[in-house]
Amino acid sequence: MNSQMTPGLAPARLSNDELDANFADLHAPLDPHEAAVAADRCYFCHDAPCMTACPTDIDIPLFIRQIATGTPDAAAKTILEQNILGGMCARVCPTEDLCEQVCVREVSEGKPVEIGRLQRYATDSLMAKDIHPFERADTTGKTIAVVGAGPAGLSCAHRLAMLGHDVTLYDARSKAGGLNEFGIAAYKSTDDFAAKEVNWLLSIGGITLVTDAALGDGITLDALAGDNDAVFLAVGLGGVNALGVEGDALAAVSDAVDFIETLRQTSDLATLPIGRNVVVIGGGMTAVDAAVQSSLLGAQNVTIAYRRGRDAMGASRYEQDLAASHGVKLLFNVQPAKVGGTDTATDITLEYTAETDGKLVGTGEMVTIPADQVFCAIGQTLTMDGGLAIAGRKIEVSDTGRTSRDGVWAGGDCASGGDDLTVTAVAEGRDAAMDIHATLMGGA
Amino acid sequence: MADLTTDFLGIKSPNPFWLASAPPTDKEYNVRRAFEAGWGGVVWKTLGSEGPPIVNVNGPRYGVIHGADRRVLGLNNIELITDRPLEINLEEITRVKKDYPDRALIVSIMVPCEEEAWKAILPKVEATGADGIELNFGCPHGMSERGMGAAVGQVPEYIEMVTRWCKQYYSKPVIVKLTPNITDIRAPAAAAKRGGADAVSLINTINSIVSVDLDSMSPEPSVGGKGTHGGYCGPAVKPIAMSMVSEIARAPATAGLPISGIGGVTTWRDAAEFITLGCGNVQVCTAAMTYGFKVVQEMISGLSDWMDQKGHTSIQDFMGAAVPNTTDWQYLDLNYVSKASISQEDCISCGRCYAACEDTSHQAIDMSEDRVFTVKDDECVACNLCVEVCPIEGCITMVEQEAGTVDPRTGKTVSSEYANWTTHPNNPSAVPAE
């Protein structure tokens, strides 16, 4: 029987009960009384800072007051009108960097109103009743292709369908949801929530989902543009940056996104092999998700190695502390120099870094730590090439998602601008849909 | 520690905190627990005439208005007077008084408005050794339909008559408990005094329906689908009670009449406030019903600490201290000018002051693009709304404008002279100042 001490890669380092407990909801849902108490803390600020901080501009004081007055379904509608994936955003939004960061109670007492958990309370309440609160407008006869069924694509498709357009929603995978389904930590989306939310979203009607259809593999941008009145691209970032150091091709050196995806899709956590000594290279949310989940699977030692200082980390302080609370060691100002091992990784050598004149350089000082598994979380890249103008390695878009090609909009991680958050993707999808609608319907 | 001993009508108690006549004082068991917990006195739950016991409903008796986190703000009840046999109550009162000679024990009574009824019960109560009686002229539900309780308290002539009977057939102090369900509280208080009452106690509960069930369409508490008005008490009624107490304390006809203050006393501070408005002690019910008898410990320590801080050595030191400062609107100083002032250091930029002032008051607060809120002195009428809606205590304050400075709103120089409505030129009945 395996344990946390078992060398190399090994499955079932923990008992099934421990695994179940580890991968349960990160934050338990609020019960009605907790929600009432939490909601009562909201001051119903004038022109509230939290609203301004929300990328989807949810009327937060209003929905919290609706919870406080015992109408969580009305609260949910307030949320979903602005953000159709309000349920998932309630689970994955870095609220500590957005609405809760600017909550006046955070400013005054260091303890914000629990906006994220309240949002989940409201959206869960509505979705538990299987109510879809929106209806489609009369059909417009316009057809629109949406490529990519992640947060941006789903948001765009829903808004377009609601406005009366007919949408075909393509996704390269066999399942819709994008990063909601494949890319975030399992304890943030338990009980198959991402898939349930997609089904609930599609229940508005007017959206035809076509899976296993990737651009360049069955469909082309030219064909879609020719056959439809508009195209919205939300293909995400399909490629990953390579480590580019000696030993990066060894077994047990892999991409963090693949690890997270496998973990999300497995039906039995006890079958997943995990190293005894895991090192994650990177400093974003993906790095934290991979590291924490390695620890939860039973890895004995987990280290995040990040090339810059704490403040430059993409993952919020809250996420950093979450990792630390799960025993993850955070190593700053180090860059990978070499992965050691013959067939499979056994250790990793890191070089300390320093910043001179704004440039990061190795100091020459090395440190080698055991690593029987290395995950790379050093960024993802755009893989599609549709002849569109590019800005900063992403598809160049306007404020409303227009690309360099007429009739083609883009949003989400594949498009320029935004913070690569679920919530910004939702906002971009929604806003592009409104612009597409305005464009197709003219002055009407 | 300050001396909290009170002497109310010659009745001594170790502190001014009495339990009001209500469910907590219905039985020997409860009253003993109350005395053990430290209550200075108890008014035993109202006794009725001898005979078949009172019948209560067998469904819910209470309804509540909740604040945040289900804090009890207001409590309503439809319970009647004691439903236990008179003899048993009298026996228990006798035993308890014997065991707690240092505590005040008052017996509340409600019998029909007939001399014979009072003549019959008073000697029995006298025989218990209790320190005094309280006449329940206040309960607004159930008994009032039978011509008792508030039905008596709403007719000053009846109050005077019954009080007189009590003074005639009972030798110890008689306290008359007043109902607030009346237009002018001074009339029943004066009637009680004319009848010879040693004191009044107020307020009894207020007619109320606390909620309606929107599914069954029944007022609550709902007894088999129907509701009735009950008597409202708890923190929510304190302002009404204090106003009525102050009216009696100020009225020439009743000034000096001892008052036992009742109505939403929940903390030591509430008690202190009632006492400053002229009460010799206070009676508590809802706080005990919400938290249990132990709350009296906070009331005792809090009042004592405050008295020490202020240098008061006895309740007498500050009793009625706020009465001279309670006046009629027409005597308020119209030359007193103040302006709201926002402490930028304490402001958390919630904007509630702005919303309140801009939408519902005088548009006297300015909001900058970066959410800095400042008072426009030339618009501020000093209404105090911003102070009260601000979630941060002490962040917004009212600052008095010194005499000799110009009020930017009116353009007039602030005068140091006192001037009120009675002499104001806009008052058609103004009397020119001599």
Side-chain angles (χ1 to χ4, degrees), chain B residues 304-317:
Chain B
S304 169
D305 282 3
W306 174 77
M307 285 170 64
D308 286 347
Q309 244 173 55
K310 294 286 179 188
H312 299 310
T313 53
S314 78
I315 301 289
Q316 212 63 35
D317 281 6

Side-chain angles (χ1 to χ4, degrees), chain B residues 95-249:
Chain B
R95 275 201 297 273
V96 173
K97 181 61 212 177
K98 194 159 158 277
D99 288 350
Y100 293 92
D102 66 322
R103 310 300 172 93
L105 184 51
I106 308 297
V107 178
S108 170
I109 307 175
M110 181 198 289
V111 295
C113 242
E114 298 150 9
E115 190 169 356
E116 284 312 307
W118 290 92
K119 200 173 168 182
I121 197 169
L122 288 169
K124 294 180 181 180
V125 172
E126 180 118 33
T128 62
D131 301 299
I133 57 173
E134 185 180 79
L135 313 188
N136 182 342
F137 293 158
C139 280
H141 49 269
M143 303 310 287
S144 52
E145 296 167 14
R146 305 173 204 176
M148 291 181 270
V152 179
Q154 287 163 340
V155 184
E157 292 76 15
Y158 291 171
I159 294 175
E160 184 179 344
M161 174 177 76
V162 177
T163 308
R164 193 159 279 137
W165 291 336
C166 291
K167 286 306 287 180
Q168 189 180 344
Y169 299 117
Y170 183 73
S171 71
K172 291 183 179 173
V174 174
I175 305 166
V176 174
K177 186 166 178 177
L178 303 178
T179 176
N181 299 305
I182 188 159
T183 313
D184 186 345
I185 198 68
R186 291 172 298 188
K193 192 179 177 194
R194 283 196 304 274
D198 297 282
V200 288
S201 58
L202 69 157
I203 57 172
N204 203 307
T205 55
I206 303 172
N207 283 349
S208 60
I209 287 175
V210 284
S211 52
V212 173
D213 184 318
L214 292 179
D215 294 319
S216 68
M217 292 297 167
S218 168
E220 293 179 307
S222 173
V223 180
K226 304 263 188 227
T228 184
H229 77 267
Y232 197 47
C233 54
V237 310
K238 177 186 149 194
I240 297 164
M242 292 214 301
S243 171
M244 290 187 166
V245 162
S246 76
E247 295 272 289
I248 293 170

Side-chain angles (χ1 to χ4, degrees), chain A residues 233-291:
Chain A
L233 297 172
V235 295
L237 300 172
V240 285
N241 289 321
L243 207 48
V245 299
E246 184 186 339
D248 68 0
L250 288 168
V253 179
S254 59
D255 294 324
V257 288
D258 292 339
F259 167 62
I260 291 167
E261 177 175 340
T262 307
L263 205 147
R264 278 294 299 279
Q265 299 302 313
T266 188
S267 56
D268 184 2
L269 292 163
T271 62
L272 297 182
I274 190 74
R276 178 182 182 183
N277 299 299
V278 175
V279 176
V280 182
I281 311 293
M285 300 269 275
T286 303
V288 170
D289 282 358

